Amino acid sequence: MIPAVYRIERRIEEMPGTFTLSLLPGAREEVVSLRPGQFNMLYAFGAGEVPISSSGTADTPGLVHTIRAQGAVTRALERLREGDTLGLRGPFGNGWPVARLAGRELLVIAGGLGLAPLRPIIYAQLQGSMNVHSVRLFYGARRPAEVLYRSELEQWGRALEVVATVDHADVNWPGRVGVITAPLSTAQLDPQHTVAFICGPEIMMRFCVQLLMGKGISPANIYLSMERNMKCATGHCGHCQWGPNFICRDGPVFRYSDIRGWWQIPAL
Amino acid sequence: MEDIEELLRQHTFFRDIADAHLRTIGGCGVEVQYRPGEYIARENMPADYFFLIRRGCVAVEIQLPNSGPLCLQTLHEGDIFGWSWLFPPYQWTFDARAVDSVQAIQLDGRCLRGKCEAEPELGYELMKRFARIMTERLQATRLQLLDIYGERPGPAEGSS
């Protein structure tokens, strides 16, 4: 698993400390494509590797990754500019179970940077490539300045139901204020035909799972994208072992009914 | 104007409530409308009513000395607000401001308090429903306090 060399074609500063890189393979590299929910290991030379989910679409050339600078490796990636190169291994992981959505109502529930791994799902719906009855997006962020893909959210709102809320805002913010569970709790759902994809901070996902189950949605129809310390990304090193699974190999997307036995065990 | 009882029946807060209770509660309700910017409730003023939002957005705010209002949360179609009418001293603890054009059902808390005292079964039914709303708001407040989107070292980079 030798990293391929990719060049940064485009760099977008989403907000301070959060940026999106569009990557193109070097001339001698194979073109990699990711399914929604899969991830690549991005290698900042001399600093190390980090797992980053795809946040682009399979139809456009190159790879798109949105990254928050919060550790040594991601800070090194943050310093890279257009034209710079980085190493890339992938794709890894299973991705969102799009094939199981036929005729279903899909709830996409994202918190903070958790919108990035779900953006390919939104793109797929907008491009008409998903065989679903409907898609609704519920998105929560800390404050207005930290709303990810803000201009895109407005565009998406013209094509599908988008409910965005922030935890804190001043009175000049025209949108919703409150946590993500508030609009979810009043949403009208058909529990027999609803499937939920959730990605965000683990505490947020716990509250959302509880709320969805309270509304009658089966644990088998709730999917979560998990995050743990991944190193090899091939299920060998054991860093991301979670219960009987390796998140890099068996996840990062899990069905709640499959993982609920160890979901609440704090030491895992 | 639609029949209040029918409007209440459509609202999730009163889902599956007995017809007799709905008739009693409906007798204490009227339809109301507020213009954008209009205050529906003011902190420390008598809390004689509670509201079921049918359309529009309501901001729950508190006035901060020397810095103006702070929005704590917004409420929307299907939400209910106001439980200060249930407990002494029956005063609002926050401001409630219509962000846009708001249509709501206003229910008279004084009227309902009397009816709940006279009909404990109705009182218990209403209390159960308000307790659920309060629990949801408490959970939401806890989640808000946790600041879950705040920056923390991710496990993916814990040692990087």
Side-chain angles (χ1 to χ4, degrees):
Chain A
M1 291 299 290
I2 299 168
V5 176
Y6 272 65
R7 182 171 48 82
I8 298 172
E9 179 72 7
R10 194 168 176 221
R11 183 188 187 282
I12 300 169
E13 187 84 3
E14 302 286 355
M15 65 187 85
T18 300
F19 54 99
T20 297
L21 301 180
S22 299
L23 307 172
L24 285 177
R28 287 178 297 175
E29 310 292 357
E30 280 182 35
V31 178
V32 167
S33 76
L34 281 78
R35 294 194 309 276
Q38 287 191 300
F39 68 94
N40 282 318
M41 296 298 289
L42 300 188
Y43 177 24
F45 299 126
E49 281 188 314
V50 281
I52 306 289
S53 293
S54 165
S55 53
T57 163
D59 294 350
T60 52
L63 302 169
V64 179
H65 293 285
T66 297
I67 304 159
R68 176 186 282 168
Q70 59 182 14
V73 180
T74 46
R75 278 199 291 272
L77 290 170
E78 186 188 24
R79 288 192 290 272
L80 298 177
R81 291 295 176 264
E82 290 174 3
D84 288 345
T85 55
L86 50 75
L88 184 147
R89 291 189 297 130
F92 297 112
N94 53 3
W96 301 104
V98 176
R100 294 183 190 168
L101 295 177
R104 301 299 192 102
E105 295 177 16
L106 175 62
L107 283 186
V108 175
I109 304 169
L113 202 62
L115 183 56
L118 285 161
R119 187 165 69 161
I121 293 290
I122 305 295
Y123 284 157
Q125 172 66 6
L126 295 176
Q127 288 159 2
S129 60
M130 290 220 298
N131 184 22
V132 292
H133 177 270
S134 64
V135 174
R136 276 190 276 179
L137 169 63
F138 289 82
Y139 175 59
R142 192 184 196 190
R143 47 176 53 97
E146 296 176 31
V147 171
L148 192 62
Y149 312 137
R150 189 161 166 182
S151 58
E152 282 190 89
L153 278 171
E154 289 169 15
Q155 289 171 21
W156 299 344
R158 293 180 210 123
L160 48 98
E161 187 183 337
V162 174
V163 180
T165 184
V166 296
D167 282 7
H168 310 280
D170 63 27
V171 289
N172 298 316
W173 164 249
R176 284 177 174 264
V177 180
V179 293
I180 185 77
T181 48
L184 266 180
S185 69
T186 51
Q188 300 289 324
L189 307 176
D190 176 357
Q192 301 305 314
H193 296 99
T194 299
V195 174
F197 290 176
I198 313 176
C199 186
E202 210 163 306
I203 296 172
M204 177 212 111
M205 294 201 287
R206 294 210 303 252
F207 275 83
C208 289
V209 165
Q210 220 173 62
L211 194 148
L212 293 175
M213 287 172 57
K215 282 178 164 286
I217 295 180
S218 161
N221 287 328
I222 299 173
Y223 293 86
L224 313 157
S225 183
M226 296 300 299
E227 187 182 84
R228 285 291 186 277
N229 185 9
M230 297 187 220
K231 290 291 182 189
C232 72
T234 54
H236 288 94
C237 74
H239 278 85
C240 66
Q241 185 168 5
W242 188 46
N245 294 314
F246 293 103
I247 288 185
C248 67
R249 187 192 64 194
D250 307 312
V253 176
F254 292 93
R255 187 158 65 173
Y256 180 64
S257 55
D258 295 336
I259 52 105
R260 63 191 301 184
W262 54 91
W263 167 251
Q264 297 282 17
I265 299 175
L268 290 181
Chain B
M1 287 269 181
E2 291 180 62
D3 177 46
I4 289 289
E5 203 178 309
E6 190 47 43
L7 291 176
L8 293 178
R9 194 188 308 281
Q10 292 165 13
H11 201 284
T12 50
F13 184 75
F14 289 113
R15 181 176 294 153
D16 299 329
I17 199 166
D19 287 347
H21 292 334
L22 209 57
R23 269 194 298 280
T24 307
I25 296 164
C28 298
V30 290
E31 272 191 273
V32 289
Q33 296 193 15
Y34 293 92
R35 293 184 301 277
E38 196 173 352
Y39 280 91
I40 302 168
R42 298 304 301 247
E43 185 181 344
N44 290 329
M45 297 303 284
D48 295 331
Y49 304 101
F50 68 100
F51 298 86
L52 278 65
I53 304 173
R54 297 185 59 221
R55 304 267 187 284
C57 171
V58 174
V60 178
E61 298 173 346
I62 190 161
Q63 299 292 329
L64 299 180
N66 304 318
S67 63
L70 174 73
C71 180
L72 301 169
Q73 72 174 139
T74 56
L75 299 168
H76 304 261
E77 181 180 336
D79 283 327
I80 185 166
F81 75 94
W83 49 70
S84 301
W85 63 277
L86 276 166
F87 313 105
Y90 308 118
Q91 289 180 346
W92 291 103
T93 46
F94 298 104
D95 293 340
R97 181 177 55 86
V99 176
D100 49 19
S101 186
V102 169
Q103 288 179 36
I105 300 170
Q106 175 187 275
L107 289 143
D108 187 331
R110 287 171 305 183
C111 160
L112 271 176
R113 278 201 305 265
K115 289 181 176 177
C116 288
E117 290 295 339
E119 293 181 49
E121 201 179 313
L122 167 68
Y124 178 59
E125 193 59 49
L126 264 183
M127 278 295 174
K128 276 197 295 185
R129 287 161 195 264
F130 269 101
R132 182 177 179 151
I133 297 284
M134 289 178 194
T135 306
E136 285 176 4
R137 298 277 161 84
L138 176 63
Q139 297 283 35
T141 304
R142 285 173 171 163
L143 202 51
Q144 212 169 13
L145 286 171
L146 280 167
D147 195 18
I148 51 173
Y149 306 117
E151 284 186 31
R152 293 179 181 88
E157 284 201 276
S159 56
S160 296

